[in-house]
Amino acid sequence: SSQNFSEEFAEAARQLKKEAPRIQFGKIDVTHQHDLRKEFNIQAFPTVKFFVNGSRKDPIDCKGVRKASAFITWVKRRTGPSTVLINSTDQAEAIIKADDLAVIGFFREPHNDSVEVFCETARDVPEMPFGMTASEDVCANYGIQKNTLVVFKKGKPVHHEVLEDGRQNKLVLARIIKTFTLDLVTEYNIETSVKIFDVPVENHILLFTPMNSETFDAIYENYKSAAAEFRGKILFVLVNTDEPRNGRIFEYFRIRDIDVPAVRILNLTSDAKYKMPADEVTVENLKEFCQSYLNGKAKLHLSSEEIPEDWDKMPVKVLVGKNFNNIVF
């Protein structure tokens, strides 16, 4: 909520006042400040913008940061180095083990675009520590041959992303990294729903299934296998159909008891829904569905009720999704 956000923002201001007094925090209620709202193109609330060197032009947008600790890191990485320089394996281990998650950039050739992209990505992901190294010994210790970004979770490497020469898309890298704040498959519930929508991946796939069924374990393993392949591109969510509190989601996707297990993809931006064409929840079917969706080949799923028997008895015909095309066009 805005109130909660306001408190976190104030807490960040309090802490930074001691550490970096040059950085000033302010807030504006733009309800009556129409000129300011127009000048800075404020569309949503709350919006945070960072003004650098006393200039009103081109402030930096601070998006998706909600906690005071992340605010502080975000500001520090904008005003100073965004990553810690690592010179020894001990130093690397200390960073990797200090938090649940850590991101390390290993660079065999330190002077190229991928270093810059890595540092820019670190600025956009203030939720976790970033370190970088060009030390031969450190790279050798982790078996790194090429310029590589490695995500560590609970001290273990969980993702390797080779940083090619040339400018990689830092938004894509940031998305991939942020998905590690969630499990590979996230079960939907009241607590996780906020986290799910906080991760900046607009494509969500949902598996609707009863978790107490005999086939659950096999289906879940298949789902997890497919999830590993599409990390950062599609967010894999599990919806337990035994849980009465999930009723609203079934309604939204028009899922009935006879449909489960069912798999749907939702695009958050357009609100478009897609149904997996195959009935069996196999790794092969899931991968094919996800790939066809990413290639723009998946068919839109227009939920429809059954055609009423007396749809054409009256002068005004009754149309539903299933007979709409035939009758109208």
Side-chain angles (χ1 to χ4, degrees):
S1 71
S2 275
Q3 180 59 36
N4 196 353
F5 180 89
S6 219
E7 284 163 17
E8 295 287 335
F9 190 67
E11 180 54 36
R14 268 196 295 279
Q15 289 187 38
L16 277 169
K17 197 169 184 179
K18 298 173 205 145
E19 294 178 50
R22 282 178 54 245
I23 297 164
Q24 303 287 320
F25 278 67
K27 64 177 179 180
I28 300 171
D29 179 355
V30 289
T31 332
H32 307 295
Q33 306 273 349
H34 296 298
D35 292 352
L36 282 177
R37 192 170 167 176
K38 195 172 170 191
E39 181 184 350
F40 298 116
N41 189 24
I42 309 297
Q43 308 277 347
F45 303 101
T47 292
V48 178
K49 288 185 183 277
F50 186 46
F51 294 83
V52 187
N53 299 331
S55 165
R56 271 178 99 112
K57 294 233 179 306
D58 303 323
I60 303 161
D61 276 318
C62 177
K63 288 181 182 151
V65 179
R66 286 176 172 75
K67 293 265 178 284
S69 55
F71 258 125
I72 292 164
T73 307
W74 188 89
V75 171
K76 282 181 174 173
R77 288 183 188 174
R78 290 277 164 191
T79 53
S82 60
T83 66
V84 178
L85 195 59
I86 295 169
N87 296 312
S88 70
T89 302
D90 286 351
Q91 202 187 349
E93 283 296 297
I95 289 175
I96 290 162
K97 289 188 172 143
D99 278 278
D100 252 13
L101 287 160
V103 183
I104 310 286
F106 296 89
F107 294 98
R108 303 311 301 255
E109 315 94 42
H111 302 292
N112 72 5
D113 282 347
S114 52
V115 174
E116 208 174 311
V117 170
F118 180 77
C119 293
E120 285 172 10
T121 306
R123 288 193 198 120
D124 289 340
V125 189
E127 296 88 349
M128 54 194 85
F130 273 66
M132 62 181 279
T133 186
S135 150
E136 298 255 336
D137 292 350
V138 179
C139 288
N141 183 65
Y142 292 96
I144 304 292
Q145 309 292 328
K146 297 175 174 172
N147 290 348
T148 308
L149 172 159
V150 182
V151 181
F152 291 85
K153 192 165 188 170
K154 294 192 172 22
K156 293 187 170 58
V158 285
H159 185 77
H160 287 67
E161 188 78 31
V162 173
L163 297 167
E164 308 290 351
D165 285 348
R167 289 188 66 78
Q168 246 159 331
N169 186 333
K170 65 179 196 287
L171 182 68
V172 172
L173 288 178
R175 272 183 189 155
I176 290 169
I177 295 162
K178 283 193 180 192
T179 59
F180 287 93
T181 59
L182 295 171
D183 296 326
L184 199 51
V185 171
T186 306
E187 188 193 333
Y188 181 90
N189 57 40
I190 304 299
E191 291 76 44
T192 60
S193 62
V194 177
K195 281 183 172 179
I196 289 168
F197 290 109
D198 261 358
V199 173
V201 177
E202 66 169 0
N203 308 313
H204 289 188
I205 186 168
L206 300 96
L207 166 64
F208 295 85
T209 184
M211 284 174 70
N212 67 0
S213 74
E214 289 165 21
T215 54
F216 175 72
D217 288 347
I219 287 174
Y220 185 66
E221 282 311 311
N222 292 346
Y223 199 56
K224 258 171 77 172
S225 297
E229 197 156 313
F230 294 95
R231 185 148 222 166
K233 296 182 186 132
I234 302 177
L235 208 57
F236 278 64
V237 179
L238 169 69
V239 183
N240 182 8
T241 56
D242 289 333
E243 172 55 70
R245 283 178 300 185
N246 290 339
R248 282 175 61 192
I249 308 186
F250 313 148
E251 278 172 32
Y252 180 68
F253 283 92
R254 298 255 179 114
I255 302 281
R256 300 161 304 169
D257 288 347
I258 57 165
D259 296 329
V260 299
V263 179
R264 301 284 186 273
I265 285 179
L266 171 68
N267 179 297
L268 263 56
T269 309
S270 66
D271 211 32
K273 302 176 193 71
Y274 302 81
K275 177 184 178 182
M276 185 165 80
D279 289 333
E280 298 277 308
V281 185
T282 64
V283 179
E284 208 46 56
N285 288 342
L286 286 162
K287 283 185 182 176
E288 204 170 302
F289 180 38
C290 291
Q291 203 50 63
S292 74
Y293 169 75
L294 291 173
N295 295 345
K297 302 240 166 68
K299 275 204 180 92
L300 258 178
H301 178 54
L302 303 168
S303 302
S304 175
E305 50 203 279
E306 292 306 315
I307 302 168
E309 279 179 26
D310 58 354
W311 71 271
D312 63 346
K313 293 276 188 293
M314 305 298 279
V316 176
K317 310 300 176 198
V318 179
L319 301 178
V320 293
K322 286 187 175 165
N323 68 353
F324 187 87
N325 258 345
N326 281 347
I327 309 306
V328 178
F329 300 114

